Every structure is written in C-alpha cells, then in structure tokens.
Amino acid sequence: GESVGLHLPTLSVQEGDNSIINCAYSNSASDYFIWYKQESGKGPQFIIDIRSNMDKRQGQRVTVLLNKTVKHLSLQIAATQPGDSAVYFCAETGGSYIPTFGRGTSLIVHP
Amino acid sequence: SAVISQKPSRDICQRGTSLTIQCQVDSQVTMMFWYRQQPGQSLTLIATANQGSEATYESGFVIDKFPISRPNLTFSTLTVSNMSPEDSSIYLCSVEALSGNTIYFGEGSWLTVV
C-alpha cells in the first residue's frame, strides 16, 4: 500500500462553495473505485463508487469523475456544508476485490 | 449495507499485553477484512479473515502478532499480541457487500498502548 506522512493534504472551503478532491491511482488494471468519508472518531463511510466502464457518476450532492487515461479520480461536492468536514479517501480495486487506499485529503468547511 | 459492530471501541493497554477485538455483522457476508489505520495515515490491510481456515495476511503482518479467527459468516476476532506503543492505532473491521465489490467498515477500535 501507499505510505503517507503525518500531514494530510488539506482543502479549505467556504460553506456553500463547491469542493473538488483529487486522487491519483497507480494500477492501470484497477476497475472499481470508491470514495469514503471519515469523520473524526469514526470509521470510513461509503460515499459513492464508479466502475471503469464509466467516466462520471452522480449521487446526492456528490459527483465522481474518472479519467483512466491519466489514472485520476475526483470527488466533487456541491454546496459544501460544515457537516462535510472530514477526511476523504479514494480506494481502487483491480484483479483482487480488496481495495487499496490512497492518501486521504482533509476537507475543512468554514461557516 | 451491513451493520458492523466492533468491541471494544476504545482501550488503553499496557505494553506487553494482548487485546482481542471482536467484529459482529448483522448479516452473513462472504468476505471480512481487518485494516489498521495509524494516526494521521491511510488504511492498511492486515489480513483477510477466512471462514473456517487460517487468515490470509498481507506483507508485513504475521499470524503470531495478529492472530485472527472467523468461526462463522458473521463474526471475526483480531488479537493484537504483545503490544508496544507502535501498535497504537485504529483497527477496523470491514466486510464486502453481498452485491460484491463495495467494502463497508465498522466504527473501529481505537487502541492506545502505554
């Protein structure tokens, strides 16, 4: 798995703005991708997923974009709210069904 | 999604002791996994808990240090043996949804070794 340092990348936004969190993956054979949200003191919570035969998928206030050419995944959160403040992780699976997690991004939403 | 319960949710442990974490799922699942999340870091897979047989460990994790049991399709335990402060982490139980692929997590067990 990928190692990360003690300081996560941080994205600070104002309440009501749109947030974009990015993730690069390394395994070109990965065919399934998941975004998780982890609030302080809690386990990761499934947000949205996308398979490699798609390049966009929308949920409630969230959109995931997949660019297989450059192995890039993004999570867009519309009208960001203080409750969206958390660490966001992308995960990929390819071949095996077991997800490999990327380094997280800390989203801070200012009221 | 499955409801995953872990016990204990938190504990402070003495160096050299062992602690067993329990994971109970409210429905039968095929795959159960144990992850570790060290402070400020991402999730690292420790092992896949196999029902009725020995767990499958990832590189860097061994059975003597992290013995795992899975007696049935809804329950698993992870033991952290002979703990040192470096074992202070969140230990997370996760399961694969019946529909396949999506992995769901419990709330984690937050261990501090002193």
Side-chain angles (χ1 to χ4, degrees), chain A residues 2 21-27 33 35 70-74 90 92 101-103:
Chain A
E2 187 177 348
I21 300 170
N22 296 303
C23 179
Y25 63 94
S26 56
N27 186 355
F33 305 86
W35 279 101
V70 295
K71 296 201 283 276
H72 183 269
L73 194 67
S74 69
C90 66
E92 58 178 301
F101 283 79
R103 63 186 309 193

Side-chain angles (χ1 to χ4, degrees), chain A residues 18-95:
Chain A
N18 296 333
S19 302
I20 300 176
I21 300 170
N22 296 303
C23 179
Y25 63 94
S26 56
N27 186 355
S28 56
S30 293
D31 57 7
Y32 179 63
F33 305 86
I34 313 167
W35 279 101
Y36 290 92
K37 172 186 180 183
Q38 187 174 26
E39 297 176 90
S40 180
K42 297 187 176 182
Q45 177 186 3
F46 171 88
I47 302 173
I48 192 168
D49 59 1
I50 189 168
R51 297 194 180 276
S52 60
N53 61 352
M54 302 173 68
D55 52 21
K56 181 179 180 178
R57 190 168 188 216
Q58 288 185 288
Q60 188 177 15
R61 279 201 310 119
V62 295
T63 301
V64 55
L65 298 177
L66 174 63
N67 185 330
K68 294 181 288 295
T69 302
V70 295
K71 296 201 283 276
H72 183 269
L73 194 67
S74 69
L75 177 70
Q76 300 178 1
I77 305 173
T80 314
Q81 303 166 0
D84 294 326
S85 293
V87 177
Y88 290 81
F89 292 97
C90 66
E92 58 178 301
T93 64

Side-chain angles (χ1 to χ4, degrees), chain A residues 2 4-8 32 34 36 38 40-44 46 49 51 89 93 97-104, chain B residues 10 31 33 35 37 39-45 48 58 90 92 96 99-108 110:
Chain A
E2 187 177 348
V4 294
L6 289 177
H7 300 287
L8 293 171
Y32 179 63
I34 313 167
Y36 290 92
Q38 187 174 26
S40 180
K42 297 187 176 182
F46 171 88
D49 59 1
R51 297 194 180 276
F89 292 97
T93 64
Y97 40 76
I98 302 172
T100 300
F101 283 79
R103 63 186 309 193
Chain B
R10 286 182 185 275
M31 308 302 301
F33 310 96
Y35 282 82
Q37 186 177 26
Q41 297 197 19
S42 189
L43 287 77
T44 301
L45 180 66
T48 302
E58 297 298 304
I90 308 165
L92 293 149
E96 185 186 30
S99 58
N101 291 134
T102 305
I103 305 294
Y104 294 98
F105 287 84
E107 293 296 345
W110 300 60

Side-chain angles (χ1 to χ4, degrees), chain B:
Chain B
S1 62
V3 176
I4 305 165
S5 303
Q6 281 187 238
K7 291 193 298 186
S9 56
R10 286 182 185 275
D11 209 340
I12 299 173
C13 308
Q14 294 295 319
R15 186 192 303 247
T17 63
S18 299
L19 181 78
T20 295
I21 302 165
Q22 297 180 2
C23 177
Q24 179 74 55
V25 191
D26 69 342
S27 57
Q28 291 187 346
V29 293
T30 51
M31 308 302 301
M32 294 182 75
F33 310 96
W34 287 98
Y35 282 82
R36 181 175 72 182
Q37 186 177 26
Q38 294 179 303
Q41 297 197 19
S42 189
L43 287 77
T44 301
L45 180 66
I46 298 173
T48 302
N50 300 309
Q51 193 261 327
S53 64
E54 190 173 290
T56 304
Y57 289 85
E58 297 298 304
S59 176
F61 297 96
V62 296
I63 187 171
D64 289 346
K65 177 67 176 177
F66 298 102
I68 288 170
S69 78
R70 189 175 173 198
N72 56 53
L73 292 176
T74 62
F75 185 78
S76 178
T77 67
L78 167 73
T79 299
V80 186
S81 302
N82 188 25
M83 285 184 284
S84 67
E86 291 72 33
D87 294 319
S88 297
S89 282
I90 308 165
Y91 292 88
L92 293 149
C93 173
S94 66
V95 304
E96 185 186 30
L98 286 177
S99 58
N101 291 134
T102 305
I103 305 294
Y104 294 98
F105 287 84
E107 293 296 345
S109 298
W110 300 60
L111 302 189
T112 302
V113 184
V114 297

